[in-house]
């Protein structure tokens, strides 16, 4: 059995290996191997064989390639620009004008693509030239795109929530349901802050569009309804119990193929591009998951959860203090570690503590995803900031850092809201299931 | 573009072809699932074993994908530490990363092989209505993992070779993690509209 010090040393070794640039999966795996050998001997390594097959042919995890494929198809189906222009018809007159479209389009695109890098890059390409031309405050534009692009991991279907569900044994349907209200809340808060900033600093938003007529608005729906209907059918199938998340993903893929065909974007070469990308991304995720499942298994045998819980119990923290410690922990970790790796590498250690403190596993999943969103947009290394800057090509990334400040504040506020009112997260999933 | 590509051209082609097959298999799985849902809810019968087949497809897709992701430097690494290292040290760490990954891949192959041997010895079948003899999916699964190990090992040897010859720059370009700019570039290539859709989009943007 391992004590708290041993477990902490193991965790620090794992982070150290990651920091030295080893592959994240290897760092997690070597940590597990080290634990197994030091405390039990090399025979324990044979258990890896059963784990490997069991994890890799798990039908629940089959949802991962399917949702990735769904996103890859939609990205190639020519929906982005259509969505953006469609949304601008509806949101263009709010104070802040097209900035709201950035949030809305990012949210929608991120929800369907599941990739914040792709979202930040794509929306930047569409929005930056347009908003520059219209004289918007560039910093605010950059910030709104980087922030909007984080929404995809929270708004279902989210691959990150599937991974969390698989690693912790939490219902993926419940997690998806739990992401909806906080996702909408976050969109609302982003838009509210844009409106407030635009009203306080009148120069920050560009000239507003002419109000769209109702016929234009109705016409623009043809660009919004197809991607929205995929979202509704996928989520609807899960909630009504017609389909498991994996099956719903399959239906989504079929709809995406039809949508691409409707947009005349479907071709064999387009499908093949999407396939290759899907296979690679799936493998990238699976390699880390395999290592993480093994770490979880070894950690369980070593008694790390017991060691950690007795240590935390001795500190006599209240749940609120414990959550506060977690916020700090993830804020710091998020500055250094890629978000998926951060989630997967910490769940085996943190999750038993979460249960011990009596926190709700569904709530914690959403909390964790919000912390990942923060990691994506907090300087100095938030991934999204650099992606947006990469598309912009001019000026300094410092502009993006300034632009993101209000949105970091908004996400932190959202985190404090779900801490103060956990019902924001748990109300819908427990009502539905 | 890179000399490495010629070294791996044959393997790259093989991996690409199998990956495409996996993609088609995923799409077929979607069609089968779609039919199963309709049949289950409306026609009152169901297709047996869609979930089981889906599991096998995941196992094979991921195992082949390991190699495909490796060839595209997609396996996640944190580059924060590497960026502040001097060039020679970065080269050493890129080589260490390649070697440890090869070690992991070989370990996986060995354990997967043990699993297959056990399956064959007991003639194990899935405990499902399909009663699939497990050696069928597992053989394809091992093929992917072994391919991953083969490529990872070749790369590891190559990094050592580059290291010994002092070609740190080449090593860092070919085996370092891709920069954010490269990743951005890659995702833009995807979403920049295809020529056929281009005109329609311009129309829509008006």
């Amino acid at each position: 059995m391992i004590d708290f010090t041993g477990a902490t040393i193991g965790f620090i070794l794992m982070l150290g290996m990651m920091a030295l640039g080893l592959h994240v999966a290897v760092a997690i795996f070597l940590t597990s191997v080290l634990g197994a050998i030091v405390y039990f001997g090399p025979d324990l390594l044979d258990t890896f064989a059963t784990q490997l097959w069991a994890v890799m042919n798990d039908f629940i995890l089959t949802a991962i390639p399917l949702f990735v494929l769904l996103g890859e198809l939609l990205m190639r189906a020519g929906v982005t620009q259509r969505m953006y222009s469609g949304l601008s018809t509806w949101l263009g007159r709010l104070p802040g004008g097209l900035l709201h479209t950035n949030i809305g389009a990012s949210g929608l695109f991120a929800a369907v693509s599941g990739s914040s890098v792709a979202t930040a890059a794509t929306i930047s390409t569409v929005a930056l030239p347009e908003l520059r031309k219209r004289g918007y405050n560039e910093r605010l534009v950059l910030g709104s795109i980087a922030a909007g692009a984080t929404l995809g991991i929270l708004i279902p279907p989210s691959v990150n929530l599937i991974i969390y569900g698989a690693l912790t044994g939490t219902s993926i349907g419940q997690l998806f349901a739990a992401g909806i209200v906080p996702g909408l809340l976050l969109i609302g808060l982003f838009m509210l802050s844009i409106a407030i900033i635009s009203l306080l600093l009148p120069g920050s938003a560009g000239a507003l569009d002419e109000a769209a007529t109702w016929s234009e608005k109705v016409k623009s729906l043809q660009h919004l309804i197809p991607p929205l209907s995929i979202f509704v059918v996928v989520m609807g199938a899960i909630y009504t119990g017609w389909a498991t998340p994996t099956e719903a993903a399959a239906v989504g893929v079929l709809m995406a193929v039809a949508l691409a065909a409707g947009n005349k974007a479907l071709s064999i070469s387009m499908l093949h591009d999407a396939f290759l990308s899907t296979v690679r991304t799936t493998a990238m995720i699976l390699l880390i998951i395999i290592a993480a499942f093994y770490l979880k298994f070894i950690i369980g045998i070593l008694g790390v959860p017991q060691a950690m819980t007795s240590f935390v119990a001795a500190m006599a923290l209240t749940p609120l203090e414990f959550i506060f410690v977690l916020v700090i922990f993830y804020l710091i970790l998020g500055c250094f570690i890629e978000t998926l790796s951060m989630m997967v590498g910490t769940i085996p250690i943190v999750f038993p503590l979460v249960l011990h403190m009596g926190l709700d596993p569904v709530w914690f999943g959403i909390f964790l995803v919000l912390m990942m969103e923060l990691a994506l947009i907090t300087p100095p290394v938030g991934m999204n900031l650099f992606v947006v800057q990469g598309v912009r090509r001019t000026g300094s990334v410092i502009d993006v850092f300034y632009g993101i400040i209000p949105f970091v504040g908004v996400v932190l506020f959202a985190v404090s809201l779900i801490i103060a009112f956990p019902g924001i997260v748990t109300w819908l999933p427990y009502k539905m299931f | 573009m890179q000399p490495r590509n010629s070294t791996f051209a044959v393997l790259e082609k093989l991996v690409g072809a199998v990956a495409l097959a996996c993609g088609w298999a995923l799409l077929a799985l979607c069609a089968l699932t779609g039919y199963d849902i309709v049949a289950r809810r409306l026609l009152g019968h169901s297709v047996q074993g869609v979930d089981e087949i889906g599991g096998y497809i995941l196992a094979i897709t991921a195992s082949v994908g390991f190699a495909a992701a490796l060839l595209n430097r997609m396996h996640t690494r944190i580059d924060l530490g590497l960026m502040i290292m001097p060039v020679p040290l970065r080269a050493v760490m890129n080589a260490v990363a390649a070697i440890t990954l090869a070690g992991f891949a070989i370990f996986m192959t060995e354990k997967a092989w043990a699993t297959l041997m056990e399956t064959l010895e007991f003639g194990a079948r899935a405990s499902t209505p399909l009663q699939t003899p497990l050696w069928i999916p597992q053989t394809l699964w091992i093929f992917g993992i072994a391919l991953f190990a083969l490529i990872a090992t070749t790369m590891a040897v190559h990094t050592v070779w580059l290291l010994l010859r002092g070609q740190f720059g080449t090593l860092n370009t070919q085996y370092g993690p891709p920069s954010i700019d490269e990743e951005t570039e890659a995702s833009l290539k995807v979403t920049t509209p295809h020529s056929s859709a281009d005109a329609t989009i311009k129309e829509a943007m008006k």
Side-chain angles (χ1 to χ4, degrees), chain A residues 93-333:
Chain A
R93 288 293 292 172
L94 297 173
L98 286 177
L99 293 172
H100 296 291
T101 314
N102 288 352
I103 300 293
S106 298
L108 196 52
F109 186 78
V112 294
S113 83
S115 155
S116 56
V117 174
T119 307
T122 313
I123 304 295
S124 300
T125 339
V126 182
L128 278 179
E130 184 67 24
L131 276 78
R132 195 178 284 157
K133 208 164 63 194
R134 299 188 185 206
Y136 277 80
N137 177 319
E138 184 129 352
R139 289 179 171 176
L140 206 51
V141 174
L142 299 167
S144 65
I145 300 171
T150 64
L151 288 166
I153 53 177
L154 176 61
I155 297 174
S158 153
V159 169
N160 294 73
L161 285 176
I162 298 174
I163 297 170
Y164 174 84
L167 266 172
T168 60
T170 311
S171 150
I172 290 163
Q174 284 189 339
L175 286 166
F176 278 6
I180 292 181
V181 177
L184 293 175
L185 175 75
L186 205 50
I187 292 178
L189 288 173
F190 280 153
M191 291 175 63
L192 188 66
S193 63
I194 287 173
I196 292 174
I197 293 171
S198 315
L199 291 174
L200 290 179
L201 309 165
S204 51
L208 295 184
D209 281 326
E210 291 289 304
T213 64
W214 274 102
S215 78
E216 280 171 337
K217 285 189 178 176
V218 171
K219 192 162 167 274
S220 75
L221 284 180
Q222 62 168 325
H223 303 312
L224 297 176
I225 287 177
L228 268 179
S229 64
I230 294 184
F231 173 82
V232 169
V233 168
V234 168
M235 301 311 296
I238 298 174
Y239 298 142
T240 53
W242 275 51
T244 64
T246 310
E247 290 170 340
V251 174
V253 168
L254 296 178
M255 291 177 74
V257 170
L259 176 59
N263 286 349
K264 300 196 174 62
L266 186 67
S267 67
I268 295 289
S269 75
M270 174 270 205
L271 277 180
H272 280 185
D273 282 350
F275 287 165
L276 286 181
S277 210
T278 302
V279 171
R280 289 180 202 140
T281 306
T282 303
M284 173 195 88
I285 297 172
L286 257 280
L287 194 67
I288 297 180
I289 293 188
I290 288 167
F293 266 98
Y294 196 55
L295 177 68
K296 186 185 140 187
F297 171 73
I298 296 292
I299 271 182
I301 294 188
L302 290 182
V304 173
Q306 293 83 334
M308 298 297 285
T309 41
S310 61
F311 181 80
V312 170
M315 295 201 306
L317 291 175
T318 64
L320 197 62
E321 288 165 339
F322 174 69
I323 293 171
F324 185 70
V325 173
L326 284 182
V327 171
I328 303 294
F329 173 71
Y330 280 113
L331 274 179
I332 295 174
L333 210 55

Side-chain angles (χ1 to χ4, degrees), chain B residues 27 80 89 100 120 129 143 184 206:
Chain B
L27 195 58
L80 209 62
L89 183 58
T100 48
L120 287 175
F143 169 74
T184 311
K206 253 182 74 74

Side-chain angles (χ1 to χ4, degrees), chain A residues 19-21 24 29 46 56-57 59 62 76 81-82 122 125 242 247 264 272 280 283-284 336 381 393, chain B residues 24 40 51 54-55 58-59 65-66 72 74 76-78 80 93 107 111 141 185 188 190-191 196 200-201:
Chain A
L20 284 172
V24 167
F29 172 70
D46 288 341
M56 287 186 74
N57 92 106
F59 187 61
T62 307
R76 290 170 172 81
Q81 285 83 349
R82 288 184 171 83
T122 313
T125 339
W242 275 51
E247 290 170 340
K264 300 196 174 62
H272 280 185
R280 289 180 202 140
M284 173 195 88
F336 304 103
V381 289
R393 286 176 201 278
Chain B
W24 283 107
R40 206 166 55 201
D51 50 350
L58 174 70
F66 291 152
N72 285 277
M74 271 182 62
T76 315
R77 294 171 65 189
I78 315 288
L80 209 62
M93 282 323 297
F107 179 81
K111 294 302 168 197
W141 169 65
E185 216 46 50
L188 283 182
V190 170
T191 42
S196 58
T200 358
I201 286 158

Side-chain angles (χ1 to χ4, degrees), chain A residues 18-26 29-30 45-46 48-50 52-53 55-59 61-62 65-66 69 72-73 75-76 78 80-82 84-85 109 117-118 121-122 125-126 130 223 241-243 246-251 253-254 257 263-265 268 270-273 275-284 286-288 290-291 335-338 341 381 383 386-387 390-391 393, chain B residues 15-17 19-20 22-24 26-27 29-31 33-37 40-42 50-70 72 74-83 85 93-94 96-98 100-101 103-104 107-109 111-112 114-115 134 137-138 141 145 148 180-181 183-185 187-188 190-194 196-197 200-201 204-205:
Chain A
M18 288 183 189
L20 284 172
L22 293 197
H23 291 84
V24 167
V26 172
F29 172 70
L30 285 180
L45 296 182
D46 288 341
F48 185 77
T50 351
L52 190 60
W53 176 248
V55 172
M56 287 186 74
N57 92 106
D58 185 344
F59 187 61
L61 293 177
T62 307
L66 296 184
L69 179 59
E72 294 286 343
L73 288 170
M75 275 192 258
R76 290 170 172 81
T80 326
Q81 285 83 349
R82 288 184 171 83
Y84 195 87
S85 67
F109 186 78
V117 174
T122 313
T125 339
V126 182
E130 184 67 24
H223 303 312
W242 275 51
T246 310
E247 290 170 340
V251 174
V253 168
L254 296 178
V257 170
N263 286 349
K264 300 196 174 62
I268 295 289
M270 174 270 205
L271 277 180
H272 280 185
D273 282 350
F275 287 165
L276 286 181
S277 210
T278 302
V279 171
R280 289 180 202 140
T281 306
T282 303
M284 173 195 88
L286 257 280
L287 194 67
I288 297 180
I290 288 167
C335 284
F336 304 103
I337 298 192
E338 184 266 338
S341 315
V381 289
M383 179 87 165
F386 288 90
V387 174
V391 176
R393 286 176 201 278
Chain B
V15 170
L20 282 184
C22 290
W24 283 107
L26 281 170
L27 195 58
L29 175 70
C30 292
T33 307
Y35 174 75
D36 183 36
I37 294 171
R40 206 166 55 201
R41 302 299 307 197
L42 305 174
V50 179
D51 50 350
E52 187 183 341
I53 296 169
Y56 300 147
I57 292 180
L58 174 70
I60 297 159
T61 303
S63 68
V64 171
F66 291 152
L70 178 61
N72 285 277
M74 271 182 62
H75 288 300
T76 315
R77 294 171 65 189
I78 315 288
D79 59 0
L80 209 62
L82 294 169
M83 286 193 302
M85 288 178 193
M93 282 323 297
N94 280 329
V96 171
T100 48
L101 184 71
F104 182 33
F107 179 81
M108 276 169 66
T109 313
K111 294 302 168 197
T115 308
L134 281 176
Q138 285 184 347
W141 169 65
I145 296 180
F148 174 48
I180 292 188
D181 278 347
E183 285 185 51
T184 311
E185 216 46 50
S187 50
L188 283 182
V190 170
T191 42
T192 312
H194 291 253
S196 58
T200 358
I201 286 158
M205 284 295 284

